[in-house]
Amino acid sequence: MILDDKTPEKPEINYPCEWGFKLIGTDKAKLEQCIEEIMADRDYHCTEGNISKKGKFLAMNAKCEVCSEEERNEIFKAFSDHDDVKMVI
């Protein structure tokens, strides 16, 4: 399914499920610490992502099981609000 302005419905997500978050920032250690803080009481898996062409930005991928849309949105907001995270996808 392609999500764009021509697709009014949201995709159906069956919970619990594994969900991935891509965090973009400028400091790998700080992103890893952020993931550790926010995912503290969850089992999660973290991997390195891409580095920007000029090396200023990098991505970290964090996956965990979420039990509801609310939980997924809470984690997303926590990452979005963190000072060391420039963007969450």
Side-chain angles (χ1 to χ4, degrees):
M1 170 183 277
I2 297 174
L3 298 178
D4 58 20
D5 59 351
K6 297 174 187 157
T7 308
E9 66 273 354
K10 292 172 29 176
E12 183 178 329
I13 301 171
N14 298 312
Y15 295 97
C17 65
E18 183 176 77
W19 198 265
F21 302 89
K22 182 180 293 277
L23 287 73
I24 302 188
T26 58
D27 186 303
K28 179 183 172 188
K30 288 182 179 180
L31 285 179
E32 289 173 331
Q33 183 178 5
C34 166
I35 293 167
E36 201 172 293
E37 290 170 10
I38 292 170
M39 300 285 213
D41 58 345
R42 297 176 176 84
D43 286 332
Y44 69 92
H45 181 70
C46 182
T47 59
E48 292 181 31
N50 295 330
I51 298 174
S52 67
K53 187 175 182 178
K54 294 184 180 180
K56 182 175 180 182
F57 297 100
L58 61 103
M60 294 294 294
N61 303 302
K63 288 184 181 181
C64 68
E65 184 174 286
V66 292
C67 295
S68 67
E69 182 177 4
E70 293 78 24
E71 181 182 17
R72 177 174 56 90
N73 289 337
E74 285 174 11
I75 297 169
F76 185 90
K77 182 168 178 10
F79 283 140
S80 296
D81 291 346
H82 199 281
D83 290 338
D84 295 316
V85 177
K86 302 300 180 198
M87 183 186 303
V88 182
I89 303 171

